[in-house]
Amino acid sequence: MSGMRPTGKLHLGNYMGALANWVKLQDQYECYFFIADWHALTTDYADPSRIKLNTLDVALDWLAAGLDPEKSTIFIQSHVPQHAELHLLFSMMTPLGWLERVPTYKEMLENLSSKDLTTYGFLGYPVLMASDILLYQANFVPVGQDQQAHVELTREVARRFNSMYKSKMLDGRPIFREPDALFTPSPKLPGTDGRKMSKSYGNTIGLTEDPKSAAKKIEGMSTNGQRPRHTDIGDPDRCPVGDLHKVFSSAEVIAETQTACRSASIGCVECKAMVAKSVSDHLHPIYERRRTLREDDVWEILYSGAEKAAKVAEPTLLLAKDVMGLALTRRDMGPFRQSAAPAVRNVKEMMGSTTISIRNLWLVKPETRDCYLKEAARENFATEERFLGEPLLTVSKKRVLVTAADPLASELRFEIPAKSYEVLVLLRLNPRDGSISDFILPQKVFSQPIATAKKSLKKDEKIPVKIREENSRFLLNIQGSELIDITDLLGNYEPLK
Ligand code: SF4
């Protein structure tokens, strides 16, 4: 997980310092990259006029440089409101002293003295950063050394939260994973005047700048006052042009220019032309790719990225809200409903498969969320399979068996393993519209007939259960028991609460 503030078109410093690494990381890790527009507001709240445009420019540059939406999740921070909500929750328990001690806080207050940064939002931006990272249970945060303090603060927030609320977890496992900083080598990249490349110094070369204009900038680049005369020898290790060679030129060109500089057998103009070519060779494909990107497609990538990110973020947020004692709302259920909807629509295609599919579909239905919330948050639904055939345990440790009728059979038949349960959930598929009906049976409905049925069962035999539909009433029959009217239990989640 990593992000970048939307500062507009990226320059080579941004590229070599972060983006080039990200492009490599996406082949090794499941990556989330976001454009931190809320972070931009912490310093630019008084004049936010460029934030939207800058956001698009950053996205275009990311894609041009090779971030691939097929491999990574790419999104805009403010499109995933879970970041803000978790930030709010964290802000309740993050001590003020921690924030005042963050080294970049004082530094930025001094450096950006033209802006009034004595705001609540600016002081709290490391908390927002913690929520950006912890929301995805990130293992690693690729950062430069100067960001280490933020990752450390994120770890402290996670530790404090975990220790405060771990008693609310059934198994006492940590709620948030403490991420590690992933330091990636970022070579020294000078700007055209020899200082660090930075927009505020006006010494940048754009990542997707026209190669001709980039070459012109390199032509006028500082040599750190070296070789005023053609015949003077120079030291490429003290020259910004030499540094640029080290980043962009081939080993042969580096060796050649270093020797030639030290023996004055090359002029600076020629040396700069060589580095301009190396830079251009490197950036040309990025420049060309950016020209072919269509804005509409980029927005589409960002919108889908946000949807994908929200699905991963939501269970973590719900877990945080749950352990902090908040009641979950209908709105909380939204993302679950959305994620389940396409699956339910596809259910007809799945009719040929086993009844287990229906059971799993039901497990992602919103209404049942409370009972499996804690597992789901950790596993992000990836391991629903683990529930197959086994009763699941609700937060209050009720044993619930969820089972489904064969969708192809003409009547609703279920087979219940002869164990003890506190709630039985019987599912049936409605082949007409692909929806799922669920009967949630409290123990008092089935305990007596199941106890009777168990007596006549052989070892490992399952209890046959049927539901019959008569005049819009649903009648339950447990191995020859009397018919029990369970119509009112259809979709009634009371027993699970
Ligand atoms: S020859 Fe190249 S490395 Fe040497 S001083 Fe001139 S520009 Fe710098």
Side-chain angles (χ1 to χ4, degrees):
M1 157 57 67
S2 202
M4 221 182 252
R5 291 160 64 108
T7 47
K9 287 189 178 174
L10 302 180
H11 55 69
L12 292 189
N14 307 127
Y15 176 60
M16 294 313 298
L19 187 52
N21 282 321
W22 294 2
V23 173
K24 287 185 203 140
L25 288 172
Q26 61 181 352
D27 289 321
Q28 289 167 265
Y29 299 95
E30 184 191 340
C31 295
Y32 292 82
F33 298 118
F34 68 98
I35 302 169
D37 56 347
W38 272 325
H39 283 282
L41 274 184
T42 61
T43 51
D44 298 341
Y45 63 90
D47 176 18
S49 55
R50 288 212 49 91
I51 291 181
K52 205 185 296 174
L53 266 180
N54 286 352
T55 298
L56 179 66
D57 269 330
V58 168
L60 281 161
D61 279 359
W62 281 7
L63 297 168
L67 282 195
D68 180 351
E70 296 289 318
K71 296 179 187 164
S72 300
T73 306
I74 302 166
F75 61 98
I76 299 174
Q77 184 188 29
S78 69
H79 287 187
V80 185
Q82 286 84 352
H83 288 242
E85 211 170 333
L86 190 61
H87 168 236
L88 178 95
L89 297 180
F90 283 163
S91 72
M92 302 298 170
M93 40 69 67
T94 306
L96 213 48
W98 288 8
L99 301 174
E100 287 161 342
R101 277 198 300 274
V102 171
T104 46
Y105 176 63
K106 282 216 175 78
E107 218 175 280
M108 281 175 81
L109 272 188
E110 283 162 19
N111 290 349
L112 298 175
S113 53
S114 59
K115 294 178 179 173
D116 180 7
L117 297 183
T118 53
T119 58
Y120 170 60
F122 183 68
L123 178 68
Y125 83 86
V127 182
L128 181 55
M129 230 178 241
S131 102
D132 296 334
I133 298 165
L134 298 177
L135 201 46
Y136 300 90
Q137 305 283 14
N139 290 306
F140 297 109
V141 190
V143 287
Q145 294 284 352
D146 54 335
Q147 299 262 301
Q148 188 176 6
H150 292 137
V151 179
E152 198 38 60
L153 189 103
T154 298
R155 292 167 59 88
E156 282 177 58
V157 170
R159 271 200 292 277
R160 187 172 165 89
F161 193 99
N162 287 344
S163 78
M164 270 184 169
Y165 304 109
K166 74 165 180 269
S167 62
K168 306 284 188 305
M169 297 292 282
L170 271 183
D171 52 9
R173 269 203 283 173
I175 298 149
F176 288 105
R177 185 179 291 141
E178 283 182 49
D180 285 311
L182 187 69
F183 294 115
T184 36
S186 51
K188 184 177 160 201
L189 197 92
T192 49
D193 59 358
R195 290 186 289 175
K196 185 180 174 213
M197 191 179 283
S198 158
K199 270 216 170 105
S200 48
Y201 296 145
N203 64 358
T204 60
I205 299 170
L207 173 64
T208 47
E209 191 165 334
D210 176 358
K212 277 195 202 123
S213 129
K216 204 156 185 58
K217 284 186 180 170
I218 293 171
E219 204 178 290
M221 215 167 152
S222 153
T223 59
N224 206 5
Q226 299 191 85
R227 306 192 60 201
R229 284 184 307 259
H230 198 282
T231 47
D232 295 336
I233 57 162
D235 178 359
D237 291 334
R238 284 181 43 230
C239 175
V241 179
D243 288 333
L244 216 54
H245 268 298
K246 285 175 203 154
V247 177
F248 291 103
S249 294
S250 65
E252 296 83 57
V253 172
I254 297 171
E256 183 190 336
T257 49
Q258 291 221 341
T259 315
C261 173
R262 291 196 171 102
S263 60
S265 61
I266 188 178
C268 291
V269 174
E270 201 185 328
C271 177
K272 287 173 181 176
M274 286 169 85
V275 86
K277 169 149 191 335
S278 305
V279 171
S280 163
D281 286 350
H282 200 95
L283 298 189
H284 188 72
I286 300 178
Y287 174 74
E288 284 301 317
R289 205 156 31 216
R290 197 191 207 267
R291 292 192 335 153
T292 61
L293 288 167
R294 288 183 41 230
E295 260 183 43
D296 285 354
D297 296 338
V298 176
W299 284 115
E300 208 38 61
I301 288 168
L302 293 170
Y303 295 145
S304 340
E307 281 164 21
K308 220 172 121 196
K311 271 185 202 154
V312 178
E314 185 64 11
T316 311
L317 176 66
L318 288 176
L319 177 61
K321 283 163 73 169
D322 184 48
V323 297
M324 283 184 100
L326 301 177
L328 301 176
T329 68
R330 199 184 283 281
R331 203 215 76 176
D332 291 334
M333 297 173 181
F336 287 85
R337 193 164 280 141
Q338 278 163 23
S339 65
V344 173
R345 266 203 306 279
N346 289 338
V347 82
K348 283 183 184 163
E349 290 165 29
M350 296 171 68
M351 276 179 62
S353 69
T354 65
T355 53
I356 284 161
S357 310
I358 304 169
R359 180 177 187 274
N360 274 359
L361 283 175
W362 187 84
L363 284 173
V364 297
K365 280 187 71 178
E367 289 83 352
T368 59
R369 197 199 48 240
D370 277 0
C371 68
Y372 71 104
L373 172 68
K374 294 188 178 184
E375 287 301 332
R378 247 187 242 114
E379 309 295 339
N380 289 332
F381 301 115
T383 55
E384 279 160 37
E385 295 293 319
R386 71 176 28 233
F387 296 128
L388 293 185
E390 290 298 316
L392 56 102
L393 218 52
T394 68
V395 172
S396 53
K397 301 200 173 177
K398 285 187 178 181
R399 285 169 61 84
V400 182
L401 185 80
V402 184
T403 190
D406 179 348
L408 295 177
S410 55
E411 58 177 0
L412 296 176
R413 281 172 185 271
F414 306 84
E415 289 196 317
I416 313 281
K419 294 181 183 160
S420 62
Y421 313 103
E422 275 137 292
V423 181
L424 273 181
V425 178
L426 304 180
L427 307 176
R428 69 149 192 176
L429 180 81
N430 301 315
R432 275 191 304 280
D433 59 3
S435 65
I436 298 170
S437 308
D438 39 10
F439 299 90
I440 293 108
L441 315 183
Q443 208 169 22
K444 63 175 190 280
V445 169
F446 59 80
S447 60
Q448 194 51 50
I450 282 207
T452 314
K454 271 186 189 168
K455 285 183 198 148
S456 58
L457 284 182
K458 296 198 188 82
K459 196 169 171 281
D460 294 335
E461 215 176 353
K462 292 182 177 161
I463 305 165
V465 171
K466 278 192 237 170
I467 296 178
R468 211 159 72 197
E469 195 175 349
E470 267 181 34
N471 306 326
S472 305
R473 306 300 296 174
F474 294 98
L475 305 169
L476 177 78
N477 171 310
I478 298 176
Q479 203 192 29
S481 73
E482 281 178 23
L483 294 178
I484 309 163
D485 190 334
I486 56 166
T487 317
D488 295 341
L489 299 173
L490 179 60
N492 178 349
Y493 290 86
E494 214 40 55
L496 282 175
K497 286 190 180 150

PDB file of all heavy atoms in Angstrom, residues 64-81:
ATOM      1  N   ALA A  64       0.995   5.686 -17.592  1.00  0.00           N
ATOM      2  CA  ALA A  64       2.011   5.787 -18.649  1.00  0.00           C
ATOM      3  C   ALA A  64       3.312   5.115 -18.204  1.00  0.00           C
ATOM      4  O   ALA A  64       3.978   4.455 -18.987  1.00  0.00           O
ATOM      5  CB  ALA A  64       2.252   7.249 -18.989  1.00  0.00           C
ATOM      6  N   ALA A  65       3.624   5.267 -16.916  1.00  0.00           N
ATOM      7  CA  ALA A  65       4.886   4.707 -16.413  1.00  0.00           C
ATOM      8  C   ALA A  65       4.819   3.193 -16.229  1.00  0.00           C
ATOM      9  O   ALA A  65       5.837   2.562 -15.988  1.00  0.00           O
ATOM     10  CB  ALA A  65       5.259   5.370 -15.100  1.00  0.00           C
ATOM     11  N   GLY A  66       3.617   2.642 -16.312  1.00  0.00           N
ATOM     12  CA  GLY A  66       3.538   1.174 -16.264  1.00  0.00           C
ATOM     13  C   GLY A  66       2.767   0.594 -15.100  1.00  0.00           C
ATOM     14  O   GLY A  66       2.719  -0.626 -14.941  1.00  0.00           O
ATOM     15  N   LEU A  67       2.133   1.422 -14.258  1.00  0.00           N
ATOM     16  CA  LEU A  67       1.240   0.812 -13.264  1.00  0.00           C
ATOM     17  C   LEU A  67       0.085   0.202 -14.049  1.00  0.00           C
ATOM     18  O   LEU A  67      -0.481   0.837 -14.931  1.00  0.00           O
ATOM     19  CB  LEU A  67       0.715   1.847 -12.276  1.00  0.00           C
ATOM     20  CG  LEU A  67       1.659   2.286 -11.164  1.00  0.00           C
ATOM     21  CD1 LEU A  67       0.876   3.026 -10.085  1.00  0.00           C
ATOM     22  CD2 LEU A  67       2.419   1.132 -10.545  1.00  0.00           C
ATOM     23  N   ASP A  68      -0.240  -1.020 -13.678  1.00  0.00           N
ATOM     24  CA  ASP A  68      -1.163  -1.784 -14.503  1.00  0.00           C
ATOM     25  C   ASP A  68      -2.409  -2.126 -13.686  1.00  0.00           C
ATOM     26  O   ASP A  68      -2.325  -2.856 -12.701  1.00  0.00           O
ATOM     27  CB  ASP A  68      -0.427  -3.065 -14.936  1.00  0.00           C
ATOM     28  CG  ASP A  68      -1.289  -3.951 -15.812  1.00  0.00           C
ATOM     29  OD1 ASP A  68      -2.498  -3.664 -15.945  1.00  0.00           O
ATOM     30  OD2 ASP A  68      -0.748  -4.929 -16.346  1.00  0.00           O
ATOM     31  N   PRO A  69      -3.569  -1.600 -14.081  1.00  0.00           N
ATOM     32  CA  PRO A  69      -4.780  -1.863 -13.302  1.00  0.00           C
ATOM     33  C   PRO A  69      -5.162  -3.341 -13.245  1.00  0.00           C
ATOM     34  O   PRO A  69      -5.960  -3.746 -12.404  1.00  0.00           O
ATOM     35  CB  PRO A  69      -5.861  -1.046 -14.009  1.00  0.00           C
ATOM     36  CG  PRO A  69      -5.309  -0.719 -15.344  1.00  0.00           C
ATOM     37  CD  PRO A  69      -3.826  -0.740 -15.242  1.00  0.00           C
ATOM     38  N   GLU A  70      -4.577  -4.142 -14.137  1.00  0.00           N
ATOM     39  CA  GLU A  70      -4.833  -5.591 -14.071  1.00  0.00           C
ATOM     40  C   GLU A  70      -4.059  -6.209 -12.911  1.00  0.00           C
ATOM     41  O   GLU A  70      -4.433  -7.245 -12.375  1.00  0.00           O
ATOM     42  CB  GLU A  70      -4.381  -6.277 -15.365  1.00  0.00           C
ATOM     43  CG  GLU A  70      -5.133  -5.851 -16.606  1.00  0.00           C
ATOM     44  CD  GLU A  70      -6.553  -6.381 -16.603  1.00  0.00           C
ATOM     45  OE1 GLU A  70      -6.732  -7.544 -16.226  1.00  0.00           O
ATOM     46  OE2 GLU A  70      -7.478  -5.618 -16.962  1.00  0.00           O
ATOM     47  N   LYS A  71      -2.940  -5.589 -12.559  1.00  0.00           N
ATOM     48  CA  LYS A  71      -2.107  -6.153 -11.493  1.00  0.00           C
ATOM     49  C   LYS A  71      -2.336  -5.448 -10.164  1.00  0.00           C
ATOM     50  O   LYS A  71      -2.271  -6.064  -9.106  1.00  0.00           O
ATOM     51  CB  LYS A  71      -0.624  -6.003 -11.862  1.00  0.00           C
ATOM     52  CG  LYS A  71      -0.191  -6.763 -13.097  1.00  0.00           C
ATOM     53  CD  LYS A  71       1.290  -6.508 -13.347  1.00  0.00           C
ATOM     54  CE  LYS A  71       1.750  -7.096 -14.666  1.00  0.00           C
ATOM     55  NZ  LYS A  71       3.043  -6.532 -15.064  1.00  0.00           N
ATOM     56  N   SER A  72      -2.556  -4.134 -10.204  1.00  0.00           N
ATOM     57  CA  SER A  72      -2.649  -3.355  -8.969  1.00  0.00           C
ATOM     58  C   SER A  72      -4.011  -2.688  -8.875  1.00  0.00           C
ATOM     59  O   SER A  72      -4.651  -2.448  -9.884  1.00  0.00           O
ATOM     60  CB  SER A  72      -1.599  -2.246  -8.966  1.00  0.00           C
ATOM     61  OG  SER A  72      -0.322  -2.795  -9.057  1.00  0.00           O
ATOM     62  N   THR A  73      -4.398  -2.356  -7.643  1.00  0.00           N
ATOM     63  CA  THR A  73      -5.620  -1.598  -7.447  1.00  0.00           C
ATOM     64  C   THR A  73      -5.235  -0.122  -7.356  1.00  0.00           C
ATOM     65  O   THR A  73      -4.489   0.272  -6.472  1.00  0.00           O
ATOM     66  CB  THR A  73      -6.327  -2.057  -6.165  1.00  0.00           C
ATOM     67  OG1 THR A  73      -6.494  -3.470  -6.247  1.00  0.00           O
ATOM     68  CG2 THR A  73      -7.680  -1.400  -6.006  1.00  0.00           C
ATOM     69  N   ILE A  74      -5.739   0.659  -8.307  1.00  0.00           N
ATOM     70  CA  ILE A  74      -5.352   2.066  -8.415  1.00  0.00           C
ATOM     71  C   ILE A  74      -6.600   2.921  -8.200  1.00  0.00           C
ATOM     72  O   ILE A  74      -7.600   2.725  -8.887  1.00  0.00           O
ATOM     73  CB  ILE A  74      -4.770   2.336  -9.825  1.00  0.00           C
ATOM     74  CG1 ILE A  74      -3.561   1.421 -10.064  1.00  0.00           C
ATOM     75  CG2 ILE A  74      -4.382   3.794  -9.983  1.00  0.00           C
ATOM     76  CD1 ILE A  74      -3.118   1.367 -11.521  1.00  0.00           C
ATOM     77  N   PHE A  75      -6.547   3.834  -7.248  1.00  0.00           N
ATOM     78  CA  PHE A  75      -7.771   4.586  -6.955  1.00  0.00           C
ATOM     79  C   PHE A  75      -7.477   5.951  -6.335  1.00  0.00           C
ATOM     80  O   PHE A  75      -6.341   6.240  -5.965  1.00  0.00           O
ATOM     81  CB  PHE A  75      -8.679   3.766  -6.031  1.00  0.00           C
ATOM     82  CG  PHE A  75      -8.058   3.431  -4.691  1.00  0.00           C
ATOM     83  CD1 PHE A  75      -8.345   4.187  -3.568  1.00  0.00           C
ATOM     84  CD2 PHE A  75      -7.174   2.374  -4.552  1.00  0.00           C
ATOM     85  CE1 PHE A  75      -7.772   3.882  -2.330  1.00  0.00           C
ATOM     86  CE2 PHE A  75      -6.589   2.068  -3.332  1.00  0.00           C
ATOM     87  CZ  PHE A  75      -6.888   2.815  -2.218  1.00  0.00           C
ATOM     88  N   ILE A  76      -8.549   6.730  -6.239  1.00  0.00           N
ATOM     89  CA  ILE A  76      -8.454   8.040  -5.590  1.00  0.00           C
ATOM     90  C   ILE A  76      -8.927   7.879  -4.143  1.00  0.00           C
ATOM     91  O   ILE A  76      -9.987   7.306  -3.890  1.00  0.00           O
ATOM     92  CB  ILE A  76      -9.341   9.067  -6.324  1.00  0.00           C
ATOM     93  CG1 ILE A  76      -8.863   9.231  -7.774  1.00  0.00           C
ATOM     94  CG2 ILE A  76      -9.338  10.402  -5.603  1.00  0.00           C
ATOM     95  CD1 ILE A  76      -9.765  10.111  -8.621  1.00  0.00           C
ATOM     96  N   GLN A  77      -8.142   8.394  -3.226  1.00  0.00           N
ATOM     97  CA  GLN A  77      -8.430   8.214  -1.793  1.00  0.00           C
ATOM     98  C   GLN A  77      -9.868   8.626  -1.436  1.00  0.00           C
ATOM     99  O   GLN A  77     -10.588   7.879  -0.779  1.00  0.00           O
ATOM    100  CB  GLN A  77      -7.430   9.058  -1.007  1.00  0.00           C
ATOM    101  CG  GLN A  77      -7.525   8.924   0.490  1.00  0.00           C
ATOM    102  CD  GLN A  77      -6.627   9.952   1.181  1.00  0.00           C
ATOM    103  OE1 GLN A  77      -6.382  11.039   0.634  1.00  0.00           O
ATOM    104  NE2 GLN A  77      -6.134   9.615   2.337  1.00  0.00           N
ATOM    105  N   SER A  78     -10.305   9.794  -1.901  1.00  0.00           N
ATOM    106  CA  SER A  78     -11.621  10.277  -1.468  1.00  0.00           C
ATOM    107  C   SER A  78     -12.762   9.487  -2.108  1.00  0.00           C
ATOM    108  O   SER A  78     -13.916   9.677  -1.750  1.00  0.00           O
ATOM    109  CB  SER A  78     -11.779  11.764  -1.768  1.00  0.00           C
ATOM    110  OG  SER A  78     -11.861  11.967  -3.160  1.00  0.00           O
ATOM    111  N   HIS A  79     -12.459   8.596  -3.045  1.00  0.00           N
ATOM    112  CA  HIS A  79     -13.504   7.737  -3.611  1.00  0.00           C
ATOM    113  C   HIS A  79     -13.769   6.523  -2.729  1.00  0.00           C
ATOM    114  O   HIS A  79     -14.677   5.746  -3.005  1.00  0.00           O
ATOM    115  CB  HIS A  79     -13.112   7.269  -5.029  1.00  0.00           C
ATOM    116  CG  HIS A  79     -13.219   8.357  -6.041  1.00  0.00           C
ATOM    117  ND1 HIS A  79     -13.068   8.151  -7.379  1.00  0.00           N
ATOM    118  CD2 HIS A  79     -13.479   9.679  -5.902  1.00  0.00           C
ATOM    119  CE1 HIS A  79     -13.221   9.298  -8.033  1.00  0.00           C
ATOM    120  NE2 HIS A  79     -13.464  10.231  -7.147  1.00  0.00           N
ATOM    121  N   VAL A  80     -12.952   6.364  -1.722  1.00  0.00           N
ATOM    122  CA  VAL A  80     -13.143   5.239  -0.797  1.00  0.00           C
ATOM    123  C   VAL A  80     -13.367   5.832   0.603  1.00  0.00           C
ATOM    124  O   VAL A  80     -12.420   6.002   1.376  1.00  0.00           O
ATOM    125  CB  VAL A  80     -11.927   4.285  -0.809  1.00  0.00           C
ATOM    126  CG1 VAL A  80     -12.170   3.067   0.061  1.00  0.00           C
ATOM    127  CG2 VAL A  80     -11.625   3.835  -2.242  1.00  0.00           C
ATOM    128  N   PRO A  81     -14.612   6.182   0.912  1.00  0.00           N
ATOM    129  CA  PRO A  81     -14.866   6.933   2.152  1.00  0.00           C
ATOM    130  C   PRO A  81     -14.464   6.189   3.423  1.00  0.00           C
ATOM    131  O   PRO A  81     -14.338   6.796   4.480  1.00  0.00           O
ATOM    132  CB  PRO A  81     -16.375   7.183   2.114  1.00  0.00           C
ATOM    133  CG  PRO A  81     -16.908   6.284   1.064  1.00  0.00           C
ATOM    134  CD  PRO A  81     -15.808   5.962   0.121  1.00  0.00           C
TER     135      PRO A  81
END
